[in-house]
């Protein structure tokens, strides 16, 4: 099984608990991922749930980036930071894992174009402008839900496209989603969002939103967080969300966005971490889906988007 996953919070857990990516007690590490063939992973830098008095989001951003760099160096025999699709291909050809950086909530870089440029130079290749709290760029699915992209937000997203960065709409308000769709000509992604038709959560995508992602040749990542899947939450529940997007014609637009180390202990029954992601793959094969399609969902679709967008 190959896997290219759109979102995890492993760096935030490393920051919180002081461990590394080789082997840890979170949802994923390199040892438990040994069974995976090619593995690409977007590692999100995130601050809100680990903020302490006197520590800014920018402080956390820099600390987590330093941890990421440390882990890439300590484990350079296994994993390498990538900035482009070509670099990911080279990593896979060398038998290594491809690590991409993303930001969850542009507050980490002060929501400024200067911060955006700095992040790009550090190798960040995907950004969600917001997390749960609205900011100067946009409203969220939980806060100022009627607020779309502000003038500052539109300039931020436009600059992201110029820098060949992936715009991530998970957590953005519904109006913000449609504003992104109007600005971005090529692919964008909802890195960790399921189907709202099956689980009526604002963090999930409506059918029209998913169709718009399809129109842009983007991807939506299936989240392992129980809250966004619905109850009872099993491997079959995960497959049902995939099947719903497939029913809309999304064979080339579904990927995995597990939110591992974000959903931590709120995962489907029988899935405790990356070591169990193969159960979803196998269940789809058991349901007589062709391996070509399952492989596309787990790897090819995300790889295609990275190849198209992340070119510099």
């Amino acid at each position: 099984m190959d896997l290219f996953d759109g979102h995890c919070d492993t760096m935030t857990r490393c920051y919180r608990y002081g461990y590394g990516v080789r082997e840890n007690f979170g949802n994923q590490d390199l040892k438990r991922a040994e069974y995976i063939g090619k593995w690409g992973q977007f590692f999100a830098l995130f601050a809100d749930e680990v903020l302490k008095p006197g520590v800014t989001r920018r402080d956390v951003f820099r600390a987590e980036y330093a941890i990421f760099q440390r882990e890439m160096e300590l484990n350079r025999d296994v994993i390498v930071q990538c900035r482009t699709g070509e670099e990911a291909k080279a990593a896979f050809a060398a038998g290594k894992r491809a690590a991409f950086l993303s930001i969850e909530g542009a507050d980490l870089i002060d929501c400024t174009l200067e911060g955006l440029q700095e992040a790009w130079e550090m190798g960040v290749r995907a950004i969600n402008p917001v997390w749960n709290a609205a900011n100067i760029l946009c409203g969220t699915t939980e806060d100022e839900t009627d607020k779309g992209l502000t003038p500052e937000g539109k300039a931020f997203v436009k600059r992201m496209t110029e820098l060949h960065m992936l715009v991530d709409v998970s957590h953005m308000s519904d109006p913000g989603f449609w504003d992104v769709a109007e600005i971005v000509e090529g692919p964008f992604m909802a890195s960790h969002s399921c189907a709202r038709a099956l689980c009526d959560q604002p963090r999930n995508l409506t059918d029209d939103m998913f169709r718009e992602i399809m129109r842009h040749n983007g991807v939506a990542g299936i989240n392992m967080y129980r809250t966004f899947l619905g109850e009872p939450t099993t491997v079959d529940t995960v497959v049902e969300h995939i099947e719903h997007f497939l029913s809309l014609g999304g064979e080339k637009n579904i990927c995995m966005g597990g939110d591992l180390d974000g959903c931590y202990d709120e995962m489907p029954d029988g899935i405790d971490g990356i070591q169990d992601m193969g159960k979803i793959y196998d269940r789809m094969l058991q349901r007589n889906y062709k391996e070509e399609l399952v492989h596309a969902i787990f790897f090819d679709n995300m790889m295609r988007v990275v190849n198209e967008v992340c070119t510099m």
Side-chain angles (χ1 to χ4, degrees):
M1 183 191 86
D2 297 331
L3 176 66
F4 202 143
D5 184 271
H7 181 86
C8 76
D9 288 304
T10 303
M11 286 303 117
T12 303
R13 287 189 67 85
C14 288
Y15 171 81
R16 174 181 278 174
Y17 296 111
Y19 60 55
V21 301
R22 176 76 70 163
E23 189 172 3
N24 60 56
F25 56 83
N27 290 144
Q28 68 177 16
D29 55 38
L30 294 169
K31 183 175 181 180
R32 281 176 285 166
E34 286 178 348
Y35 77 99
I36 298 173
K38 292 180 287 188
W39 180 28
Q41 179 68 59
F42 272 93
F43 288 90
L45 306 179
F46 169 67
D48 284 60
E49 292 186 343
V50 291
L51 283 177
K52 299 177 181 178
V55 178
T56 68
R57 291 179 177 86
R58 179 60 77 95
D59 293 334
V60 175
F61 168 61
R62 288 176 173 150
E64 289 184 3
Y65 178 75
I67 292 169
F68 178 81
Q69 292 299 317
R70 179 198 73 197
E71 291 303 306
M72 294 301 103
E73 176 61 24
L74 288 173
N75 299 285
R76 61 186 182 276
D77 59 319
V78 180
I79 191 168
V80 60
Q81 180 181 2
C82 297
R83 296 166 178 81
T84 67
E86 288 302 314
E87 289 183 357
K89 291 177 185 177
F92 297 141
K96 297 184 180 183
R97 281 53 172 100
F100 284 80
L101 274 178
S102 64
I103 286 175
E104 189 170 28
D107 309 78
L108 274 71
I109 51 174
D110 302 325
C111 298
T112 65
L113 297 181
E114 293 78 13
L116 177 59
Q117 182 68 32
E118 177 190 359
W120 182 85
E121 292 172 0
M122 295 165 74
V124 173
R125 289 299 179 265
I127 297 179
N128 191 320
V130 295
W131 183 56
N132 284 343
N135 60 28
I136 194 174
L137 303 179
C138 193
T140 81
T141 58
E142 295 192 12
D143 184 26
E144 299 188 45
T145 58
D146 294 330
K147 174 182 172 183
L149 286 176
T150 63
E152 294 88 350
K154 292 176 181 178
F156 191 93
V157 168
K158 184 175 184 297
R159 182 57 180 153
M160 283 186 67
T161 65
E162 293 169 350
L163 291 170
H164 298 264
M165 300 174 79
L166 263 171
V167 181
D168 182 1
V169 296
S170 289
H171 288 288
M172 293 184 74
S173 66
D174 286 6
F177 173 97
W178 293 107
D179 288 338
V180 167
E182 186 174 334
I183 294 170
V184 178
E185 294 182 1
F188 61 92
M189 70 173 175
S191 65
H192 54 307
S193 296
C194 297
R196 202 178 297 185
L198 299 187
C199 182
D200 191 14
Q201 279 280 342
R203 274 276 288 99
N204 286 338
L205 299 168
T206 67
D207 289 358
D208 284 344
M209 286 175 171
F210 184 72
R211 291 188 184 100
E212 188 68 13
I213 288 174
M214 289 171 53
R215 191 176 73 82
H216 283 261
N217 294 317
V219 284
I222 302 298
N223 195 331
M224 294 299 107
Y225 206 126
R226 181 178 295 270
T227 301
F228 307 127
L229 288 165
E231 298 286 351
T233 316
T234 65
V235 171
D236 287 317
T237 311
V238 178
V239 175
E240 286 163 8
H241 280 263
I242 294 173
E243 288 179 331
H244 181 77
F245 286 149
L246 286 173
S247 75
L248 301 177
E251 293 87 352
K252 297 180 179 180
N253 308 99
I254 309 165
C255 70
M256 304 308 293
D259 201 10
L260 299 188
D261 286 320
C263 52
Y264 190 54
D265 57 356
E266 293 292 332
M267 302 179 74
D269 296 341
I271 299 179
D272 295 319
I274 196 162
Q275 70 273 14
D276 297 316
M277 294 297 285
K279 293 180 181 180
I280 303 166
Y281 195 103
D282 292 342
R283 185 60 54 86
M284 292 198 70
L285 295 179
Q286 291 165 7
R287 292 193 179 195
N288 296 319
Y289 286 101
K290 293 181 179 179
E291 181 139 18
E292 180 181 5
L293 171 62
V294 183
H295 190 272
I297 292 168
F298 273 73
F299 183 83
D300 297 330
N301 295 341
M302 187 78 241
M303 187 73 222
R304 171 184 56 78
V305 169
V306 167
N307 277 332
E308 184 170 343
V309 177
C310 303
T311 57
M312 56 183 286

